[in-house]
Amino acid sequence: MKIASWNVNSLKVRLPHLTQWLADAQPDIVALQETKLEDAKFPVDELAAAGYRAVYSGQKTYNGVAILARDEPRDIITDIPGLDDPQRRILAASIGNLRVVDLYVVNGKAVGDEKYAYKLDWLAKVREFLAHELERYPNLVVLGDFNICPDDRDVYDPVAWGEDILCSPPERAGLKAITDLGLHDSFRLFEPGAEHYSWWDYRQAAFRRNMGLRIDLILIGEALKSAATAAAIDREPRRWERPSDHTPVTLELDI
DNA sequence: ATGGTTGAGAATCAA
């Protein structure tokens, strides 16, 4: 069982990349972020032709999340209970014996900005939701664009980046409060080293110079830890013409 | 501190 997460930065533009990558990588489950598509415009038929069922929660221009799966997704949730939020950033579904929660965490713009306050509040509410999900579904996978570097190994230049947005201590504490529920950063079960990134800015030839951040994560509950057999970041699609600024991250589970 | 690049959608906003 191969699970993936990819911020595609417009599914309309990136659909050819996505279908190519699905054919190459053969994932069983894929969480997408920044689809930037209203639900009525979701490419259901194209993805069905590729062998995937889809659930999605989108909006025009911004945000938007989707889960693709070989098997039928069930028990779908598109909102954090009790949070009235027009921004389409969360999608939960059961697939087989897994519970999958796709997150497009708020970027936050800059430390101190009102969007930053929204980010921290949103993270705290997601944590409460995930605590309940984990009680109900031990086989929990929480994946997506977290817009937070877990620690300095995940930043190309931690000195220059300092405590700016994506690396600030309150954001990292918000992420740690989630992993402290018993959710493991699966990539770090296999690779302890630095210089592994999932996002590179479009500017300043950042990808060519490997000036990146690792902000796309696949977290797994304790019950799944022993089933994890491999984790990777597939840099190949970032090399393709007109790429997303993010590249897919993957996890293999022996279940 | 600013700018650089991309996407959406038609001038900026978001990342």
Side-chain angles (χ1 to χ4, degrees):
Chain A
M1 163 77 72
K2 187 174 187 177
I3 303 174
S5 176
W6 193 3
N7 179 324
V8 291
N9 187 17
S10 169
L11 184 52
K12 182 179 174 186
V13 172
R14 230 65 68 192
L15 184 59
H17 282 200
L18 176 61
T19 53
Q20 181 65 58
W21 188 76
L22 292 173
D24 293 347
Q26 292 290 317
D28 298 288
I29 298 172
V30 185
L32 303 175
Q33 305 85 36
E34 287 205 87
T35 56
K36 301 185 179 181
L37 281 181
E38 293 171 286
D39 289 348
K41 296 185 175 175
F42 197 88
V44 177
D45 295 342
E46 290 88 338
L47 292 166
Y52 293 87
R53 309 178 192 240
V55 290
Y56 35 88
S57 179
Q59 65 186 99
K60 195 190 286 190
T61 310
Y62 303 119
N63 308 315
V65 284
I67 299 173
L68 313 181
R70 298 279 193 195
D71 294 331
E72 183 73 35
R74 318 179 305 275
D75 300 321
I76 296 148
I77 291 177
T78 60
D79 291 271
I80 301 165
L83 179 64
D84 184 20
D85 188 352
Q87 300 194 24
R88 303 291 81 201
R89 295 181 174 279
I90 186 165
L91 182 60
S94 299
I95 298 155
N97 59 355
L98 294 179
R99 184 65 171 173
V100 177
V101 181
D102 180 11
L103 300 180
Y104 175 47
V105 174
V106 179
N107 174 288
K109 189 172 181 179
V111 174
D113 191 275
E114 63 182 22
K115 294 189 177 109
Y116 181 74
Y118 165 57
K119 181 179 197 171
L120 297 180
D121 180 62
W122 192 88
L123 276 173
K125 290 188 165 70
V126 165
R127 182 194 174 277
E128 293 313 302
F129 171 68
L130 293 176
H132 290 114
E133 288 284 291
L134 199 50
E135 277 180 29
R136 246 185 108 180
Y137 308 102
N139 285 351
L140 183 64
V141 180
V142 181
L143 74 175
D145 176 359
F146 282 73
N147 267 317
I148 300 170
C149 304
D151 65 55
D152 283 353
R153 288 175 295 174
D154 305 307
V155 188
Y156 71 93
D157 187 346
V159 174
W161 210 277
E163 298 188 350
D164 286 352
I165 194 70
L166 311 187
C167 295
S168 74
E171 291 169 83
R172 285 177 166 171
L175 175 58
K176 184 170 185 297
I178 288 171
T179 54
D180 281 351
L181 294 170
L183 291 164
H184 300 273
D185 179 353
S186 58
F187 186 77
R188 290 304 184 199
L189 299 177
F190 300 93
E191 175 53 70
E195 299 182 6
H196 297 277
Y197 309 127
S198 65
W199 170 86
W200 300 261
D201 199 296
Y202 284 122
R203 296 165 284 193
Q204 301 177 317
F207 179 66
R208 183 176 58 72
R209 302 156 73 190
N210 199 25
M211 297 165 62
L213 305 175
R214 192 177 68 92
I215 55 179
D216 299 273
L217 310 177
I218 302 178
L219 311 182
I220 53 172
E222 185 68 32
L224 289 172
K225 193 176 173 187
S226 62
T229 57
I233 301 174
D234 184 355
R235 296 156 59 103
E236 192 56 34
R238 190 63 176 78
R239 300 189 181 97
W240 296 346
E241 191 179 345
R242 207 177 176 196
S244 169
D245 44 353
H246 297 251
T247 211
V249 299
T250 62
L251 172 69
E252 308 237 19
L253 289 174
D254 187 13
I255 54 167

